[in-house]
Amino acid sequence: MQFRSVLSGLDDIYKKLNEGKRLDRADGVSLLQTNNLTGLGYLANEVRHAKVGDQVYFNNNAHINYSNVCKVRCGFCAFGKDLDEQGAYTMSIEQVVERAKHFAALGANEIHMVGGIHPELPFSFYVEMLKKVQESVPQVSIKAFTAAEYDYFAQLEGVPVETILKTLAQVGLRFVTGGGAENFSQRVRDIICPGKLSAERWLEIHRIAHQLGIPTNANMLFGIIETDEELIDHLLALRELQDETGGFYALIPTAFHPKNTKFDYLPQASAVRTLKVIAAARLILDNFKYIKAYWVSSGLQLAQMCLNFGANDLDGVVREEKIYHTAGSSSPQEQTEQELIRMINEVGLTAVERDTFYNVRKVYEP
């Protein structure tokens, strides 16, 4: 019996990594196209271990999707509704505050708030919403809005986005979400979200947030119509901005869910594609500490497998996620801390409860 090397077909990439050289576009494409899934996982896992250790993070968080009314209506989104469409809703500030109080009473230390591009709400609504939430639950960190929303707020007010970010930071904004990134390829954006802000504008808004000392995450949608090259270009653009600012905390690769969207004829991203994307992200993004296995998007079992392909964050408890579930996600809407700890410990890694800024709250050894 003969055994092939675990690195079969990946030897050149292993050599570059071992020599401390950065992977390039061609390397990234090779990672996505390799048939050696075992070797890919091995490389990503070793890099994760060397750079950030064997800890996997989660937090006690909750989502508040304050409105699903959106005038942009991206083709890949099942969540957004027109103003007068059946199922459209917009929460009052009082309702948002009550949800935040409820979640805080359950132990949540982070509230994640995003919505659509609402055609009628004034900017003052968002300012007052964050202010009231912060006053009601001051112990909770507010992670709010996508770059698309910030871009729209700036248009509404006729001011630079820097002014918008400063205004919101004064009333409770602590962290900017990674949403709105999708894929940076203009070809892809013209097809799936032609009315959304450009990739350049998304990067500009995150650059400004970083310059103001507001950390952000970065999302990446995959499994829709992107090519391997377009996916790697997305990662390289994020790596370049991170070199400049150092303001990104985590990458959140999210698999496209086709149900109830304009692209419902497309198949859902496979488990293999998901594992390859997670591993490629870990290996390309050498300046990102945290790669999330977002269980809401991938499901619990696949998210656990991603922990052996370079991921080191399971996001958190979540509570009441609506966007992916509207598009057919079969994962639960929330998960217990005990289950997240079990998932992490079961693969031999240390579970760490964190806050929004990755400060350690409690450690659970396997």
Side-chain angles (χ1 to χ4, degrees), residues 352-363:
V352 179
E353 182 182 354
R354 61 171 177 84
D355 66 10
T356 300
F357 307 97
Y358 286 84
N359 296 310
V360 175
R361 295 173 66 89
K362 196 168 183 179
V363 177

Side-chain angles (χ1 to χ4, degrees), residues 71-289:
K71 68 176 188 177
V72 177
R73 303 304 305 273
C74 298
F76 67 87
C77 178
F79 177 69
K81 302 284 187 182
D82 292 331
L83 189 61
D84 299 323
E85 187 177 351
Q86 184 177 1
Y89 75 89
T90 300
M91 298 170 68
S92 68
I93 291 174
E94 292 73 22
Q95 288 173 319
V96 172
V97 169
E98 285 307 308
R99 295 311 292 159
K101 287 181 178 179
H102 171 72
F103 292 139
L106 294 174
N109 59 68
E110 173 186 299
I111 300 293
H112 180 287
M113 291 195 291
V114 298
I117 306 300
H118 199 293
E120 293 189 354
L121 292 178
F123 179 58
S124 59
F125 173 90
Y126 305 96
V127 176
E128 190 68 9
M129 180 170 67
L130 262 60
K131 180 181 179 182
K132 292 296 186 183
V133 169
Q134 184 63 55
E135 290 174 350
S136 301
V137 287
Q139 74 277 24
V140 173
S141 296
I142 298 175
K143 179 187 289 183
F145 311 131
T146 67
E149 290 167 277
Y150 289 110
D151 183 54
Y152 181 58
F153 298 158
Q155 293 176 43
L156 272 180
E157 294 295 283
V159 298
V161 75
E162 180 178 2
T163 302
I164 297 297
L165 286 163
K166 285 181 176 179
T167 299
L168 293 173
Q170 289 172 354
V171 295
L173 176 69
R174 296 292 174 265
F175 204 105
V176 171
T177 76
E182 322 318 346
N183 185 280
F184 290 151
S185 161
Q186 192 58 51
R187 181 193 73 85
V188 173
R189 298 181 87 80
D190 285 344
I191 295 171
I192 71 170
C193 54
K196 186 168 273 187
L197 80 172
S198 68
E200 291 74 22
R201 179 64 167 162
W202 189 97
L203 291 164
E204 177 189 11
I205 289 170
H206 281 258
R207 177 184 289 109
I208 292 169
H210 298 170
Q211 291 169 344
L212 293 174
I214 304 172
T216 77
N217 284 334
N219 285 26
M220 179 176 68
L221 182 69
F222 69 92
I224 186 165
I225 61 165
E226 82 284 349
T227 65
D228 292 339
E229 289 80 5
E230 287 166 333
L231 190 148
I232 297 302
D233 286 343
H234 185 101
L235 293 175
L236 291 174
L238 292 174
R239 188 173 78 177
E240 183 178 356
L241 182 55
Q242 183 75 328
D243 280 343
E244 179 187 334
T245 68
F248 287 120
Y249 273 44
L251 174 79
I252 312 171
T254 52
F256 171 61
H257 282 251
K259 187 177 179 180
N260 299 322
T261 76
K262 293 181 181 179
F263 299 94
D264 58 3
Y265 56 88
L266 293 175
Q268 193 168 326
S270 69
V272 169
R273 179 68 170 178
T274 299
L275 294 173
K276 285 183 175 183
V277 167
I278 291 289
R282 169 57 71 196
L283 296 169
I284 292 289
L285 295 180
D286 51 37
N287 51 9
F288 274 63
K289 283 188 177 181

